[in-house]
Amino acid sequence: MRRRRAALAFTAATGVVAAALIAPATAASAADEQRTVTVHLDRTVQEDYLGVGVNVIPWSLLEGTTKYGYDDADWEVDVERIQTLQPKVARVWFQIDWMELEKGQYDFESPEMMAFYRYLDAFKAAGTEIELNFGWKVGERVHDWFTIPGAPDPYISAPADLPAYGASASALLQNLFDRGYDNVDHLTFYNEPNGSWDFWAPGDEKAYYADMARAVSDRLTADGLRDDVQIWGPEEVNAVAWTQYMADNASDVFDQYSFHLYGESYDAMGDAIAERRAAIGDAPLNLSEMGWTNPGTSVWETGYANYIVRSANDGVHSNLIWQLNGVMTGDPAGDTNGSYNLWDSVILGLAPTAAFYEAGPLMRYVPTHSTVLGTEVSDDDVRATAFRAPDGELTVLVETQEGSSKDVRVQFEGGEAADDFTRISYTDAIAQPEDNALLPASSGTLTPQGNAFTDDTVGAEHSYAIYTTAPAATQVKMASVRNEVAGGGQVQLGASVVDGTGTPAWTVVGDGNGTVDANGLYTAPAVTTERSVAVRATLPNGDYGVAIVEVTPASTAGVTDAPVFSLGTGVYPSIEAVTITSGTPDAQIYYTTDTSEPTTASTPYTGQIFLEPLKTTYLRAIAVAPGATASGVTSRLYKVSDVQNAPDGYTFCQYADGGECAFDGEANVAFGSDGQFVFGTFTDGVDCAVASFGSNPNPGGDNRCFVNPDVSQEPPLVSILNAGFERPATGGTANGPMVNGWTFSARAGIQHNNSVFVPASPAPQGERTAYLKSDSGLASRIDQTVVFPEGTFAITFAAANRVGFGGQQEFDVQVDGETLGHYVPVGGDYEYYETEPFTVSAGEHTISFVATTTDGDNTGFVDDVRVVLADTTPTDTTAPTVTVKQGAEFTQGTAEAYDKVSFKLHDAGKIDRATINGVVKDLADNEWSDVNFVAPGIFGAVSGENTMIVQDAAGNTTTLTFQLR
């Protein structure tokens, strides 16, 4: 019987220590700065670092993903990537309804269980330990007996019958052990129970969670299985009180503790670890979820490398990345593609995310069950940790801050390090996603001399390097991963070897899927409906690569040619349109979008099919021609995001030279791309071509037409994409890093009127605003590069501060890095502001909103950003008379105190705007306009003399002074 590993002590005093160490300049370049990392081979920080792993929702092989076309060929790609990464531990999520539809009646041969076993097989082959997350969501099929009566959401209910829950966990583990899955070493329950999204229990939820874990532990003890697993918990996020409760009340149940952390700074992460360490003492602590939404832009302050450095040096037992790959879940319905994944579901495209390249080497090369060694660094722009594997191999992880090129000397003390070290390095430039999904190759060998080596290749950019005496990962690179051939045809495949040698052997996966010869020439089978085939290129040592061949129906006499789609499968940032054709004359095409197989009773194709944003569309089609047999089915899968690529208020209607942008009545139409547009007003449609607009605003660009039925809306002076922050159309928050017109840094993003920020006032334009947030000592920013004509301009915008939580957020508005103004929006009501004028040449210039408050947790909201012509004329003291009234009328210059006014330009027409103490009030061309001056409002003061500049649409102005009560 396998025994539980004993909890191992952690010595905090031996973590990273900054020291002024002077290293010899042996191999250093005079132009580079010298940095030293000292590794103490005789100093132990922790004795059993489990390693870097992943979270996995095992739904690729279940209905939800398979209904969109996921098949065994796609599974081959996923398995090969697991073999490449070799995660050291995987937190695999499990739903009880996969095995137990009736209480106490188990079906371990259900389709869901058979799919689950395939995941376990893949991880076992990769040498991965399993943290079985028993219970995540509660499937609808078991709501009748599993959920607690009265639960507000049955999908997240804790088990109503705790002894039955314990029996279920025990039965599952016994089944897995009987099947040979002896890598299931860890057990935990639910997810983030402190939140409102994955766990609910009546009364004291902490106590219920502890009782639930105890029920499982007791049952495992009774069944003789308790020593086979380590129980982890409570899987909390930002809720150390939950960990404290488990340590105080269930320390005999929990062998190890687990928590989650996202996007924290290096120092804030250290604080989070220390808080939990204070609660649990020397018990193992696991960071069982950690993530970074866009690792291709991770920075020194927060990212994967510094998570590992901090964790290892502070005694964290393991680091599990959220998450392996995206899936579409069935019950409950959901979609995890699009953020925090190493790759999205391969049915959406084969290229991984930038996270794969940044997190992957850490997962592969940081050894499992290693001893973390003491390290010191010479300067505060370097971080490091070091590991000794059970077989004695040494691995050193060094992260360097951007700013200057560096020569990094790694010095070993307290023992001898004589073996060659292989270098694997990462910078953002390496993260160039492509279909092969290969880890960064080794980039040199460093031989210690005098118990040290110097790496003189470290550049000025933020980077990390892994130096290891273990061999580099051998990888097989396919010449083309995605291939297409008609049935019966041939396609030549190719492969090369990275960090290794050998000649791959070619094999086709599955019976009846064609053949491949020794040189990689693949011959496809005849098919009537398209089919995906996986072909392996395997080295003698077992490492392999996978090519996917899409086999389509060949043109056959008497059979209608299969439909062909104008747009390939993939993820698209904005609305697209798909055209479907058949090579057979007079063929009628029928299609479905609900995943069902099309027939002649399905929707007939009559023209372009527009793909809606924030939706996944599985477009399937057949073609039928008179006197011919119907074609087989061809399909394409599309996922459309909600990235703004047109001026606000405009919607995509046609590609350039693609035909008519169709609409009824009169409408404004924008033509162009990349923020460069020309505009026109047309009636009953317009040909989407340069000739219709008189000029091409962006030659060589992906030009399109966008229609706006509101002809009263003037074209923008400068086209800012997503100027009103309505994309993506989130009902809560969409957090950076992301690009959607604007580039949002971490801690910036878009929030809805109903977001968790609970804004005090609704967005002044639309339903959403941008937000600038600061916490953990880190600020945020949003930027957009737009095309200006030559001239003098100002930027107007609305802003407010978050109230009820946090403090005051201040920010600068900049153009090309030059600050135009510093703003402090007081209170939760939105006010309009206008920057100082600025003059630019024609061309691209960057608008930025930069948070400047870093102390505390502060959030400011920004909306309705516009570029306006600046008023460069002096105030005209002889401008038309202004009448100001409150009950009775009084005129310009009156010093009477009031708190609400109306005003009118008598001789110059309607009012365009008023600027009050520098704050812009957009008055929408009203003849009479009320402005509420309730203190502190836009003034930040209760009383005093104030200045108002009133301007008409022609630019005429007049100035008033008034007293605020």
Side-chain angles (χ1 to χ4, degrees), residues 7-11 277 280-285:
L8 299 172
F10 154 64
T11 307
R277 180 63 61 197
I280 67 174
D282 291 338
L285 178 65

Side-chain angles (χ1 to χ4, degrees), residues 276-421:
R276 287 158 180 82
R277 180 63 61 197
I280 67 174
D282 291 338
L285 178 65
N286 298 275
L287 183 45
S288 56
E289 273 190 36
M290 49 175 266
W292 179 245
T293 54
N294 186 9
T297 57
S298 77
V299 291
W300 171 256
E301 286 81 8
T302 184
Y304 285 118
N306 62 41
Y307 270 45
I308 305 306
V309 171
R310 185 100 228 191
S311 295
N313 289 335
D314 285 9
V316 172
H317 184 52
S318 69
N319 294 81
L320 277 60
I321 292 164
W322 178 264
Q323 64 171 325
L324 186 72
N325 62 276
V327 294
M328 297 82 158
T329 61
D331 178 23
D335 186 344
T336 68
N337 297 290
S339 63
Y340 292 103
N341 299 319
L342 301 187
W343 63 89
D344 285 340
S345 179
V346 294
I347 53 176
L348 291 168
L350 293 175
T353 65
F356 179 91
Y357 301 93
E358 182 176 359
L362 300 166
M363 199 176 301
R364 177 67 185 253
Y365 290 106
V366 173
T368 188
H369 291 296
S370 58
T371 298
V372 180
L373 304 171
T375 56
E376 294 173 351
V377 294
S378 61
D379 296 83
D380 59 9
D381 59 358
V382 178
R383 300 183 182 120
T385 189
F387 309 89
R388 181 189 285 118
D391 61 4
E393 300 284 7
L394 293 174
T395 300
V396 183
L397 171 60
V398 178
E399 183 184 24
T400 52
Q401 188 177 16
E402 65 179 345
S404 64
S405 298
K406 305 171 184 67
D407 291 333
V408 176
R409 178 179 174 85
V410 179
Q411 175 77 49
F412 297 93
E413 295 184 357
E416 184 177 356
D419 293 339
D420 288 346
F421 284 79

